[in-house]
Amino acid sequence: MNFNHVTQEDLAYFSGLLPGRVFSGEAISTDYDHDEMTLYGHYQPEAVLQALTTEEVSRILSYCNEKRIAVTPRGAGTGLCGGCVAICGGVVLSTEKMKKVLEVDSKNMTATVESGVLLMEFPQALEGTGLFYPPDPGEKTATMGGNAMTNAGGMRAVRYGVTRDYVLGMEVVLASGEVITLGGKNVKSSSGYSLIDLMVGSEGTLGVLTKLTVKLLPEPRVNLSLLIPFDDLDACIGAVPAVLSCGCEPTAVEFMEREVITCAETYLGKRFPDTSADAYLLVRLDGPSTEALRPAMEQLTDLALQMGAKDVLLADTDERRESIWNARGAFLEAIKNSTPEMDECDVVVPRDMIPAFVRRSVEIGRHIGVRICSFGHAGDGNLHIYVCKDGLDNTTWDRAVRQAMDELYAAAREMGGEVSGEHGIGHAKKRFLAKSKSETHMSLMRGIKAVFDPRGILNPGKIVEE
């Protein structure tokens, strides 16, 4: 892929378009040369452009397409697969300042936002409406647009689904600079090819998202959480299919090991309610009242004890819930804090293969001689497996992490799984995606990329090789 470098003439054009929002050379913050997984490298862009409007994005893309300058769209930079870094140079086009909540439509139960609105900011706009946005990715400082571009999942996906299930409409700028509107407020459509579904999860390789219309749901009035400790890892994971099929409709079913909990305690400086067991399930129930949830709670308690749980701990107060869920939300940062370097495997496998995959990950860590931590969304088969460097020297680490990743992704393929459940492909996971798909499949994706972006300027080097 050959692109033109950004010249002084280009910078002058951008500065005229975006006064005070163009950065080059030493003025570029190092934050823009990586995402949250620094293991995947540092790539300095030639310029960072901070757009405020769709019109600005359109003019930037039209110019860069004509000049054949690579454009890397970027939200908050919280990704975990190198999806928003400028591996081919050129410009980083940041939507971080496009932060307006444009409308909350209570009648149609929708909201329209600019792509830079943070996930943690959005609930404030819904206060008093009785509505909520169900997708709940763990990284609350991510942007709504970034979530859509990676089809982010989260802990509530087992009941409510993932980001794709809530995207009704989009405003997207194509590589040519043309602005298109996909979908709207309609809750369904059978009107031709679903381009909006193609755009969700495309990681900025097909277009730059500027506005998003999402579906909202009535907010549950009550939620209860059950922390279920197991002395045996196999029994813990093995209980998941029974929990999911018992008819209790859990909102979240999370899996965690004691080692990860210990990391979170150290990182947060707070005690977890229970650290006596090797593994835990964390189950959340949503409903109209505590009384309405009581039968499900009692059924889950009986079932868990039958499946080998040591106990079932009820978190029915805000303080108890926060102590558990705050720790769960800190797991990624806690593991990062416990080791000099790490890599992540974000596979998803069929639900009935969850126990086999977790067991296999433990075996892989043992025979390679590397620490592997795991937790994840056991309810939908999306597990996060972290390979940690700890005290290994660089040569041993490079060999170990590569071997571990090869074996983990190979195991997922054997079990009918996929490379990524919610974090995307970026540039870091491309080779695993290529191994998991047929050449026909990859060829079709390359063809789609070529239709949307004939000159290949949009986020080059990501997902597929052009």
Side-chain angles (χ1 to χ4, degrees):
M1 294 174 287
N2 295 313
F3 298 99
N4 291 321
H5 291 293
V6 176
T7 65
Q8 289 301 315
E9 180 185 352
D10 300 328
L11 291 173
Y13 173 81
F14 296 139
S15 295
L17 179 62
L18 312 173
R21 291 177 279 123
V22 176
F23 305 91
S24 62
E26 294 183 357
I28 298 176
S29 167
T30 56
D31 289 344
Y32 290 101
D33 74 11
H34 62 89
D35 67 3
E36 285 297 306
M37 289 294 284
T38 54
L39 176 70
Y40 303 146
H42 294 258
Y43 301 88
Q44 181 80 350
E46 296 168 74
V48 171
L49 314 179
Q50 295 177 338
L52 285 178
T53 67
T54 299
E55 173 62 21
E56 289 177 349
V57 173
S58 173
R59 291 178 66 181
I60 290 167
L61 289 182
S62 177
Y63 183 90
C64 290
N65 194 50
E66 180 183 346
K67 297 285 188 176
R68 203 155 197 270
I69 297 169
V71 179
T72 302
R74 184 182 176 101
T78 61
L80 295 168
C81 58
C84 64
V85 294
I87 64 173
C88 295
V91 303
V92 161
L93 174 52
S94 171
T95 58
E96 64 190 302
K97 292 186 177 295
M98 299 179 69
K99 297 172 68 70
K100 295 176 184 173
V101 177
L102 301 171
E103 180 189 50
V104 176
D105 183 344
S106 297
K107 289 183 179 179
N108 285 305
M109 297 171 67
T110 65
T112 300
V113 302
E114 291 184 328
S115 57
V117 171
L118 299 184
L119 190 63
M120 65 188 291
E121 298 170 337
F122 186 43
Q124 299 169 19
L126 304 180
E127 288 179 0
T129 65
L131 301 172
F132 85 119
Y133 179 62
D136 186 36
E139 182 49 79
K140 301 301 186 289
T141 62
T143 64
M144 299 279 286
N147 284 172
M149 286 291 98
T150 57
N151 190 29
M155 290 178 271
R156 296 196 292 236
V158 64
R159 177 168 182 174
Y160 295 114
V162 296
T163 300
R164 182 188 304 281
D165 300 308
Y166 293 86
V167 176
L168 296 176
M170 284 183 169
E171 181 181 79
V172 178
V173 185
L174 301 179
S176 63
E178 183 177 355
V179 180
I180 63 171
T181 299
L182 305 175
K185 294 183 180 181
N186 299 309
V187 296
K188 65 178 183 177
S189 172
S190 295
S191 307
Y193 299 144
S194 181
L195 298 184
I196 196 169
D197 278 313
L198 192 58
M199 198 63 68
V200 173
S202 63
E203 301 183 40
T205 62
L206 305 182
V208 177
L209 175 63
T210 52
K211 294 177 186 174
L212 190 65
T213 297
V214 297
K215 176 173 65 175
L216 306 174
L217 294 182
E219 187 172 18
R221 294 181 180 178
V222 171
N223 67 79
L224 299 175
S225 295
L226 302 176
L227 182 65
I228 308 174
F230 289 81
D231 272 337
D232 181 73
L233 176 64
D234 282 353
C236 180
I237 298 297
V240 172
V243 169
L244 294 172
S245 63
C246 73
C248 292
E249 297 186 330
T251 298
V253 182
E254 296 292 296
F255 156 71
M256 59 196 78
E257 294 182 281
R258 177 164 53 187
E259 182 178 3
V260 180
I261 291 171
T262 302
C263 288
E265 286 186 319
T266 301
Y267 178 72
L268 294 173
K270 295 180 180 179
R271 296 285 297 170
F272 195 71
D274 184 274
T275 55
S276 65
D278 287 338
Y280 295 80
L281 289 183
L282 177 56
V283 181
R284 171 172 162 162
L285 300 171
D286 286 354
S289 67
T290 302
E291 198 58 38
L293 291 176
R294 194 170 303 282
M297 180 183 66
E298 292 174 352
Q299 184 180 357
L300 279 173
T301 298
D302 291 342
L303 177 63
L305 294 174
Q306 291 170 19
M307 300 293 293
K310 291 178 59 181
D311 200 352
V312 176
L313 309 174
L314 174 63
D316 56 354
T317 67
D318 289 342
E319 183 180 358
R320 290 174 183 170
R321 279 192 294 268
E322 287 177 10
S323 68
I324 295 172
W325 288 103
N326 286 350
R328 169 59 185 86
F331 281 172
L332 172 57
E333 290 302 320
I335 295 172
K336 285 175 64 177
N337 191 61
S338 75
T339 184
E341 222 167 73
M342 69 179 192
D343 198 357
E344 185 207 33
C345 180
D346 165 48
V347 295
V348 60
V349 297
R351 287 169 171 171
D352 65 343
M353 300 305 297
I354 296 170
F357 189 84
V358 173
R359 285 195 295 269
R360 181 71 182 122
S361 70
V362 172
E363 293 168 0
I364 289 170
R366 285 174 180 165
H367 85 78
I368 292 177
V370 66
R371 179 167 67 103
I372 291 183
C373 295
S374 64
F375 65 90
H377 316 309
D380 57 23
N382 183 198
L383 300 172
H384 303 315
I385 314 294
Y386 294 88
V387 184
C388 302
K389 181 181 181 182
D390 295 339
L392 298 178
D393 63 75
N394 290 338
T395 301
T396 303
W397 164 242
D398 290 343
R399 174 196 57 77
V401 69
R402 186 175 183 87
Q403 182 181 351
M405 287 295 150
D406 284 342
E407 293 190 21
L408 286 166
Y409 285 112
R413 290 197 300 273
E414 292 168 7
M415 297 177 191
E418 296 280 359
V419 171
S420 173
E422 61 185 8
H423 294 162
I425 301 301
H427 75 87
K429 307 300 181 182
K430 284 193 304 182
R431 69 186 182 94
F432 301 115
L433 180 67
K435 285 182 179 180
S436 72
K437 302 297 183 185
S438 69
E439 178 49 38
T440 298
H441 191 131
M442 298 301 294
S443 179
L444 286 169
M445 288 201 290
R446 285 191 290 269
I448 290 167
K449 166 70 171 171
V451 168
F452 277 83
D453 181 19
R455 306 198 77 186
I457 67 162
L458 282 176
N459 216 3
K462 312 298 169 56
I463 303 181
V464 296
E465 296 288 357
E466 289 111 47

